[in-house]
Each structure stands twice: as C-alpha cells, then as structure tokens.
Amino acid sequence: MYGHVEKLAEEIKKGAASVEGVEAKLWQVPETLPEEVLGKMGAPPKSDVPIITPNELPEADGLLLGFPTRFGLMAAQFKAFMDATGGLWRTQALAGKPAGIFYSTGSQGGGQETTPLTSITQLVHHGLIFVPIGYTFGSGMFEIENVKGGSPYGAGTYAGDGSRQPTELELAQAFHQGKYFAGIAKKLKASSSQ
C-alpha cells in the first residue's frame, strides 16, 4: 500500500540479477480496495510495475513472494491472488519450483514471524519448495541496536504508520535474499534439466 514491499522487491531483484544467467522480474497483484478507501488511507498512487495473473506464475523458475501484513497474516489483496490460483493447484503446475517470502509489518509485534509462518501453507499446497534465508545473512541477522525487520524466513521491514522507510540494513538483507535465492533456483533448474 505504501511502497515498502516494492522497495524490498527492487533490492531482491538486484540481488537475483547479480547471479550470472538469472533474469528477475517484478510484478504486483491486483488491488482489491476501492480508490475511495485507498485515498482515505493516504495510500500513494500505485507504481507502474505490471500486474500479474495466476497463469503467468508457471513461467517462472522460482518465486519470491512479497506482501504487507494485516493482523499477522498476508494482506487480503495477496490472499485473494493466491485464492485465484486454484487451477494451478489442481494441476500442480508450480510443484517443485523454489519459493521464498518477504514482507512488511506495521510494528515489531505485527507479524515479522507469524506472517511468513502462516503464508507457508500457500506454498505447501502448490508443492513449492520453501527456501528461507535462515541465518545466511550473517551478523545482520543479529542486529539488536537498531530496529530491523526480517527473520530467518525472509527479508522484512517495518512500515509503522507508512512514513518509516526500509533501512540500509533491511535493504541489504533483501539484496542478500535475492542473490541467495537466485543461486538456489539456478542450481535446481540446472539439476532438473539433466
């Protein structure tokens, strides 16, 4: 809604693109809230990132899914998109592809771990292979002097009231997730084509 997930996604894309032979694309899911409601919430206009349809998902060799949090769960807009993937689920068109998660929450108690944890069910039903970052981000995972989003599940940030922007450390974690994930996706693709 306020661009926090998009900022993380841009860094993830840079990280993925830093892996030789990997092409990364950004997409956004359709907005479900009326313009009037978005205006009352102070949401800025949507970016020009293309809107994805469920039928485009099978074209990807891997998926990093990013979304804001509402009450400790993925936002309704993203859940509505996932609900529209029933045809892909029925044919298991995404089975065996790697997938990861990144997110934005409003506060420290707003779902930095519950959001990815509850979102993994979406991946499991599709047969996607969940690729967390674990503690591969090194010392950045243990930062306690400054507020930092993210967890072993994936990169994250805190939006607060919408005015707080992702920090350099949060953006670095997002870049790391993109690079780490792309390396794994590339290895999986290479092994499946043998």
Side-chain angles (χ1 to χ4, degrees):
M1 181 170 301
Y2 300 107
H4 295 79
V5 171
E6 185 174 358
K7 283 189 172 75
L8 293 177
E10 289 166 355
E11 287 302 309
I12 284 172
K13 181 181 177 184
K14 290 177 192 173
S18 74
V19 176
E20 186 178 339
V22 171
E23 176 190 1
K25 294 181 182 180
L26 291 185
W27 299 89
Q28 63 179 321
V29 300
E31 179 58 69
T32 58
L33 293 175
E35 287 295 326
E36 179 184 338
V37 173
L38 291 169
K40 288 179 181 178
M41 296 175 80
K46 293 290 179 189
S47 72
D48 59 357
V49 171
I51 294 175
I52 193 167
T53 65
N55 292 335
E56 291 168 291
L57 291 174
E59 297 171 17
D61 295 323
L63 304 167
L64 277 169
L65 309 173
F67 34 80
T69 299
R70 296 294 181 271
F71 305 113
L73 303 168
M74 71 171 54
Q77 293 89 331
F78 206 92
K79 180 65 169 75
F81 176 77
M82 292 304 293
D83 286 347
T85 64
L88 299 176
W89 164 79
R90 189 171 34 262
T91 61
Q92 287 295 282
L94 302 177
K97 292 179 184 281
I101 295 170
F102 62 101
Y103 42 87
S104 171
T105 65
S107 66
Q108 288 179 321
Q112 286 285 313
E113 286 203 344
T114 60
T115 300
L117 185 60
T118 57
S119 301
I120 291 171
T121 60
Q122 305 292 317
L123 310 181
V124 170
H125 283 268
H126 279 285
L128 290 158
I129 302 167
F130 179 52
V131 179
I133 59 171
Y135 283 84
T136 62
F137 187 50
S139 64
M141 294 298 292
F142 299 98
E143 171 60 47
I144 58 172
E145 297 300 319
N146 298 295
V147 174
K148 181 194 80 64
S151 71
Y153 296 99
T157 189
Y158 295 108
D161 62 2
S163 62
R164 181 190 185 273
Q165 295 301 307
T167 65
E168 286 185 32
L169 186 59
E170 290 168 335
L171 294 173
Q173 184 179 37
F175 181 93
H176 170 77
Q177 183 174 9
K179 184 175 182 177
Y180 178 75
F181 180 85
I184 291 172
K186 183 178 176 179
K187 288 177 191 173
L188 285 172
K189 182 179 181 182
S191 69
S192 68
S193 61
Q194 293 178 356

